[in-house]
Amino acid sequence: MSSRPTAAAVIIATEVLTAKVQDANTPVLARWLRARGIRLSRVVVIEDDVDVIAAEVRAASAATHVFTSGGVGPTHDDLTMAGIAAAFDVPVEPHPALLQALEGVPAGPRRDGLRRMCNVPRGTELLYPEGHRWPTLRLRNVFILPGVPSFFEKKLEALGPWVLGPPLFAGEVVTLAAETDIVDQIDAVVGRHPGVSIGSYPIFEPQGSHTRLTVDGPTRQAVEAALRDFEASLPVSSVRSVRLPEG
Amino acid sequence: MSSRPTAAAVIIATEVLTAKVQDANTPVLARWLRARGIRLSRVVVIEDDVDVIAAEVRAASAATHVFTSGGVGPTHDDLTMAGIAAAFDVPVEPHPALLQALEGVPAGPRRDGLRRMCNVPRGTELLYPEGHRWPTLRLRNVFILPGVPSFFEKKLEALGPWVLGPPLFAGEVVTLAAETDIVDQIDAVVGRHPGVSIGSYPIFEPQGSHTRLTVDGPTRQAVEAALRDFEASLPVSSVRSVRLPEG
């Protein structure tokens, strides 16, 4: 699993930390990356502060791909461009192609606001996904996405051609046994199947405690072998469901 | 706002990063801290890996309070105790009072599983919130909470006596104007009210673009003054709602 491309997310959102809104973008990003075979290794939610953004983006940029969310509007608390520029020690400057897109907007406060949004870190690439009029911004391996969830999702979905990893297969077994009762069986399966990633999650329901064992791996065969091995290590009556990898 | 106590969260949850579940604990923590006047400054979601947990907990411990979530069960992927111990360079060892709590459990795999959960970093304190039979664990300024959302919330709610900051007041104005159209008014209010924190968030609705301006501060008077100042800087017809601080 270690050769799989990685991704890191930097959610720039004081509004999430102050409980004004919930972060809707991380779940969307996690699902999208997983479907594309990319391993999301870390998500950090931070305040709108230039130094903090710079430090976090720099740290995150060790991943194959970085996704930032938020802080790209025209107001005082929109500091993502300055933060990303500081992360890579480049200036912020107006991008000619973005200025050009402004040409149809009549003079006035709206145009002034949009004009501020043409200031981006030097070296920023403009990506033009099919069917999108407005470009998506990328500096090095950092995709710079808006925080508004509907815009975030739409821009993310269009990045398919730029982000793709090897296939990932997944399955799970849900048992009727409590996790504390089957620790040895889980450990044994983990030991016998080093090529897959195994997760064990307790489920607490009024009727009793159960366990969900998840298996992710690079081939259908490897995932299925671990699931079948675990299933065989339990009494038949304690298996609630088995989901084999699809595809 | 800078003298306010801070909090950092470390969500140890490969299952969130792999999109198997959504993180339900961060929103609960953010609301709880905000109600208690603590500034949540950073949340990081990481994989279940000892070295990663150690590095992230060490970094987070610069905050006044740290909350970890997850990785405290008995299985191979429960690595939080080892990670926190490594963060502070102490060994993991059985805690006598936790072992004692095991005495009522009959011998067998369940007891063996629970016994593993008695191994905690040296120096861990056991907190006994009122009405809770089982202790909550704390090492230095790190509260070690379970990942299962119902348990996380129950344990968090009981930590009131250990976590309290100065009062925080909050209000907001929702305008019918697009954010790009009122950048100058927002900037002016931010400049005139340095004692409060002001956030500006665009709202995109089918009927048009609006703006939500939020104000947080240490006194009701300071928050109300900023809200009234912003309101007065707009045409009356462009104010949709004003929410003044409560209390």
Side-chain angles (χ1 to χ4, degrees), chain A residues 18 34 42-43 45 56 200, chain B residues 18 34 42-43 45 56 77:
Chain A
T18 53
R34 185 167 169 78
R42 189 166 177 276
V43 176
V45 186
E56 295 286 356
S200 172
Chain B
T18 54
R34 187 167 167 81
R42 187 167 178 277
V43 175
V45 186
E56 295 287 356
D77 56 353

Side-chain angles (χ1 to χ4, degrees), chain A residues 123-145:
Chain A
T124 295
E125 293 170 82
L126 307 185
L127 310 179
Y128 290 89
E130 212 179 312
H132 283 238
R133 260 183 67 200
W134 299 105
T136 294
L137 308 185
R138 178 172 67 178
L139 180 63
R140 305 192 193 190
N141 63 338
V142 181
F143 295 96
I144 307 171
L145 300 180

Side-chain angles (χ1 to χ4, degrees), chain A residues 163-178:
Chain A
V163 180
L164 189 57
L168 174 71
F169 297 89
E172 66 177 37
V173 175
V174 177
T175 81
L176 298 170

Side-chain angles (χ1 to χ4, degrees), chain A:
Chain A
M1 300 285 285
S2 57
S3 66
R4 196 167 284 281
T6 56
V10 181
I11 309 293
I12 300 153
T14 298
E15 69 274 26
V16 168
L17 296 169
T18 53
K20 285 166 192 152
V21 300
Q22 286 192 23
D23 167 27
N25 294 341
T26 294
V28 166
L29 180 64
R31 276 194 302 272
W32 187 79
L33 288 169
R34 185 167 169 78
R36 307 192 70 73
I38 309 284
R39 174 178 145 219
L40 176 60
S41 58
R42 189 166 177 276
V43 176
V44 64
V45 186
I46 56 172
E47 297 177 331
D48 297 86
D49 177 286
V50 174
D51 294 339
V52 171
I53 297 168
E56 295 286 356
V57 168
R58 202 180 305 119
S61 68
T64 315
H65 304 288
V66 179
F67 297 83
T68 71
S69 157
V72 297
T75 60
H76 68 287
D77 56 353
D78 289 306
L79 303 170
T80 295
M81 296 304 167
I84 294 177
F88 297 116
D89 205 19
V90 296
V92 172
E93 59 191 16
H95 194 293
L98 292 174
L99 286 177
Q100 208 171 9
L102 262 191
E103 276 176 14
V105 181
R110 182 174 184 76
R111 187 190 166 99
D112 296 341
L114 290 173
R115 203 185 185 295
R116 293 198 193 189
M117 296 169 65
C118 297
N119 295 319
V120 301
R122 180 180 291 171
T124 295
E125 293 170 82
L126 307 185
L127 310 179
Y128 290 89
E130 212 179 312
H132 283 238
R133 260 183 67 200
W134 299 105
T136 294
L137 308 185
R138 178 172 67 178
L139 180 63
R140 305 192 193 190
N141 63 338
V142 181
F143 295 96
I144 307 171
L145 300 180
V148 174
S150 57
F151 295 177
F152 179 90
E153 185 163 5
K154 197 177 161 208
K155 285 202 168 267
L156 181 69
E157 292 291 348
L159 287 178
W162 288 273
V163 180
L164 189 57
L168 174 71
F169 297 89
E172 66 177 37
V173 175
V174 177
T175 81
L176 298 170
E179 194 184 50
T180 45
D181 289 344
I182 54 170
V183 172
D184 290 343
Q185 287 90 329
I186 295 170
D187 280 352
V189 171
V190 170
R192 286 194 295 266
H193 299 269
V196 299
S197 292
I198 297 179
S200 172
Y201 306 104
I203 303 170
F204 299 97
E205 291 179 353
Q207 316 91 286
S209 297
H210 307 326
T211 307
R212 179 181 178 201
L213 195 93
T214 65
V215 179
D216 295 349
T219 67
R220 195 181 315 125
Q221 291 74 13
V223 172
E224 184 165 342
L227 292 168
R228 292 299 187 198
D229 189 12
F230 177 61
E231 195 186 358
S233 73
L234 301 171
V236 173
S237 63
S238 77
V239 175
R240 182 156 84 179
S241 66
V242 178
R243 186 169 57 73
L244 296 176
E246 290 168 20

